[in-house]
Amino acid sequence: MAQRLNLVADEDMPHVHEWFSPVADITLLPGRQINAEHLIGKDALLCRSVTQVNAELLQKSSIQFVGSATIGVDHLQTDWLDQQQIGWANAAGCNAAAVAQYILSGISVWLLRQNRQLDDISVGIVGAGNVGTCLANFLDILKVPYYFYDPPLVEQGDPRQFVDFKKILSCDVITLHVPLTQTNKHKTFHLFNEFVLQQLTPEQLLINASRGAVIDGEALTKYLSLAHHAQVILDVFEHEPNVSDKLVNQCLLATPHIAGHTLEGKSRGSWMIYQAFCRHFNLDILADQSLSQVLPEKNALLLDTIDDIRHGLLNLYDVRTDHQKLLNYSGSLAEHFDELRKNYARYHRLLPRRDYDGWQTIANKVNSLEQADLAKTPSDLNHAQLLLSLLIDQ
Ligand SMILES: NC(=O)c1ccc[n+]([C@@H]2O[C@H](COP(=O)([O-])OP(=O)(O)OC[C@H]3O[C@@H](n4cnc5c(N)ncnc54)[C@H](O)[C@@H]3O)[C@@H](O)[C@H]2O)c1
Ligand SMILES: O=C(O)[C@H](O)[C@H](O)COP(=O)(O)O
């Protein structure tokens, strides 16, 4: 029998016990507190975005594999890990659908406040990777025009249509889906600086659910103090969890980095890392282990009134609930920020936040209905209605 492995895992990573305990002894710790001493004599580290994984953390350890159950990797010193031949993996795309859902909910709230309609806006997507593409797929279904800006993909010969930054800055909604990078040719650190922010108008909406430092936080606070400014929705902040009260209160909506936290998004992250871990240590995945096994059945959504349909996307997930929870705090906002993230699944226990499913099925059904002439010149309302009925059908 193969020797049991020893691993340290973030206590807020779901399903670690179910999937890893047959092959490993597990020490669970709060992600921000994992330190070099905890890793001495361990084989693997399973982390989330809150653990800085670098030479200082690992050099005294015998860690051979680091798995982060996140899309972003800015907290991993990947060049050092490669140099040390320490295997590492992230969970690319694990919660892309959850982030797209968050963006659609945020846009819906902004439209209500502006008394505008979905078919009246354009969306500029900065970063056309997993999240940007997932969002675009949904916008296709909703018939909302969008534009992609992604110079690295243009250089790689991606055949889709891309626009320049100026065009993006003219869109009604600008939404950021780039990794945080500090050094490369297309670095994203402070991509939205004071100069860029000042080009926005009060008719526009800027959303950041990528990484906080893609927008210069200080410049943003200053910009939002002006009499006329664009509306802003933030899920991420520079220097988390030390988030400024002032900035939170200046936003149309602010949430504690939970855009990706659907049940599917979190569970898929652990599942992808479990698979990478098995590959790294040459282990078999047990027959009774699977992602679907840990996800509960979905409840059908009931839409009773015309308002339910008008606010259709908000019935599926209403970001205002999470915004309100961030505002309802007493004491330190930094502690509250981490606490809300930690308990996110628990707060949603009665009606857990779930991914929208069956993107392709929905798109196919919409197309076939249109071809059958059943949905002539659909308005945004028809589309939302159709979309919802299809989602409930799943
Ligand atoms: N708020 C959350 O909960 C949450 C959840 C998931 C991901 N994220 C963040 O969102 C980021 C994007 O996720 P993804 O899955 O789409 O990643 P991805 O790697 O699939 O796509 C990122 C895209 O950004 C592009 N890009 C890089 N630099 C750019 C630049 N300067 N300008 C324009 N485009 C640029 C890349 O070419 C790539 O296509 C992640 O790196 C992560 O930091 C946040
Ligand atoms: O990069 C990601 O996947 C997201 O930022 C992710 O949702 C962060 O989640 P956490 O670190 O809280 O697990």
Side-chain angles (χ1 to χ4, degrees):
M1 197 180 128
Q3 213 189 334
R4 282 181 73 74
L5 295 160
N6 258 303
L7 64 83
V8 169
D10 185 311
E11 66 184 14
D12 293 325
M13 197 173 145
H15 313 302
V16 168
H17 185 75
E18 286 108 299
W19 290 330
F20 292 85
S21 64
V23 291
D25 293 327
I26 303 163
T27 307
L28 295 177
L29 291 166
R32 286 197 200 280
Q33 288 170 29
I34 295 173
N35 65 36
E37 302 304 316
H38 295 131
L39 301 181
I40 292 172
K42 306 292 183 192
D43 305 299
L45 168 63
L46 311 179
C47 65
R48 299 167 40 243
S49 62
V50 295
T51 305
Q52 295 303 315
V53 181
N54 48 29
E56 195 189 335
L57 184 72
L58 296 189
Q59 65 197 355
K60 285 199 269 177
S61 78
S62 46
I63 293 282
Q64 300 160 48
F65 174 82
V66 176
S68 180
T70 57
I71 292 184
V73 292
D74 45 292
H75 56 296
L76 306 182
Q77 197 181 347
T78 53
D79 50 353
W80 183 82
L81 293 173
D82 289 340
Q83 214 181 63
Q84 300 299 311
Q85 299 183 326
I86 296 173
W88 63 270
N90 67 327
C94 65
N95 53 41
V99 180
Q101 175 189 77
Y102 175 97
I103 303 300
L104 290 172
S105 182
I107 293 176
S108 303
V109 172
W110 174 72
L111 286 172
L112 280 174
R113 300 273 172 93
Q114 303 272 316
N115 204 13
R116 288 172 76 176
Q117 305 293 323
L118 266 175
D119 53 8
D120 170 43
I121 61 164
S122 59
V123 178
I125 301 176
V126 180
N130 284 306
V131 177
T133 304
C134 198
L135 173 63
N137 289 343
F138 236 112
L139 294 174
D140 272 333
I141 294 169
L142 293 166
K143 305 284 183 217
V144 177
Y146 59 84
Y147 302 91
F148 281 136
Y149 172 75
D150 193 320
L153 285 185
V154 172
E155 284 178 11
Q156 289 161 36
D158 188 310
R160 293 176 292 180
Q161 257 203 336
F162 294 90
V163 298
D164 61 17
F165 199 56
K166 194 166 163 221
K167 174 70 187 170
I168 288 293
L169 292 187
S170 72
C171 290
D172 299 294
V173 176
I174 301 165
T175 183
L176 311 183
H177 303 294
V178 289
L180 176 61
T181 50
Q182 309 267 358
T183 50
N184 64 28
K185 180 172 155 204
H186 298 297
K187 73 176 175 138
T188 59
F189 177 76
H190 289 185
L191 181 66
F192 276 63
N193 55 23
E194 190 173 357
F195 174 72
V196 173
L197 292 169
Q198 278 172 355
Q199 296 176 55
L200 304 179
T201 67
E203 289 72 43
Q204 289 178 291
L205 171 67
L206 173 65
I207 311 179
N208 189 10
S210 62
R211 283 291 180 267
V214 174
I215 303 181
D216 177 342
E218 222 174 286
L220 184 60
T221 304
K222 212 162 115 192
Y223 168 73
L224 292 175
S225 307
L226 300 175
H228 299 284
H229 57 75
Q231 296 296 311
V232 171
I233 298 179
L234 296 182
D235 181 54
V236 288
F237 300 80
E238 205 170 5
H239 315 305
E240 287 171 23
N242 298 313
V243 172
S244 131
D245 286 67
K246 186 171 176 193
L247 184 53
V248 163
N249 285 297
Q250 285 170 316
C251 292
L252 172 65
L253 296 166
T255 48
H257 195 155
I258 48 71
H261 283 199
T262 54
L263 279 191
E264 284 83 357
K266 293 290 285 180
S267 302
R268 196 178 294 114
S270 295
W271 178 245
M272 291 171 85
I273 291 311
Y274 171 62
Q275 290 174 305
F277 172 91
C278 289
R279 278 193 301 274
H280 181 88
F281 290 106
N282 213 7
L283 299 166
D284 292 330
I285 293 176
L286 299 181
D288 62 345
Q289 291 175 324
S290 72
L291 179 58
S292 56
Q293 179 207 23
V294 298
L295 292 173
E297 290 284 304
K298 284 189 185 179
N299 291 327
L301 280 157
L302 294 174
L303 299 172
D304 293 332
T305 67
I306 190 70
D307 266 356
D308 286 346
I309 295 167
R310 193 176 288 280
H311 305 158
L313 295 168
L314 290 173
N315 284 324
L316 294 170
Y317 164 57
D318 191 338
V319 59
R320 287 173 296 190
T321 317
D322 290 328
H323 167 68
Q324 203 48 51
K325 285 189 187 123
L326 187 61
L327 296 186
N328 293 346
Y329 73 96
S330 53
S332 153
L333 178 53
E335 267 173 40
H336 186 65
F337 192 90
D338 266 355
E339 186 70 13
L340 284 176
R341 304 192 76 225
K342 187 177 176 56
N343 292 323
Y344 194 69
R346 261 181 266 165
Y347 284 128
H348 286 262
R349 198 181 300 145
L350 287 179
L351 193 60
R353 191 175 151 211
R354 308 294 303 265
D355 276 2
Y356 303 158
D357 266 355
W359 296 75
Q360 201 46 54
T361 319
I362 294 164
N364 292 343
K365 283 192 188 175
V366 170
N367 285 338
S368 61
L369 284 171
E370 281 179 354
Q371 276 162 18
D373 222 17
L374 291 174
K376 274 187 203 154
T377 58
S379 68
D380 62 319
L381 186 60
N382 282 336
H383 261 280
Q385 187 168 7
L386 184 60
L387 173 67
L388 286 166
S389 58
L390 293 172
L391 283 165
I392 294 157
D393 259 10
Q394 296 298 305

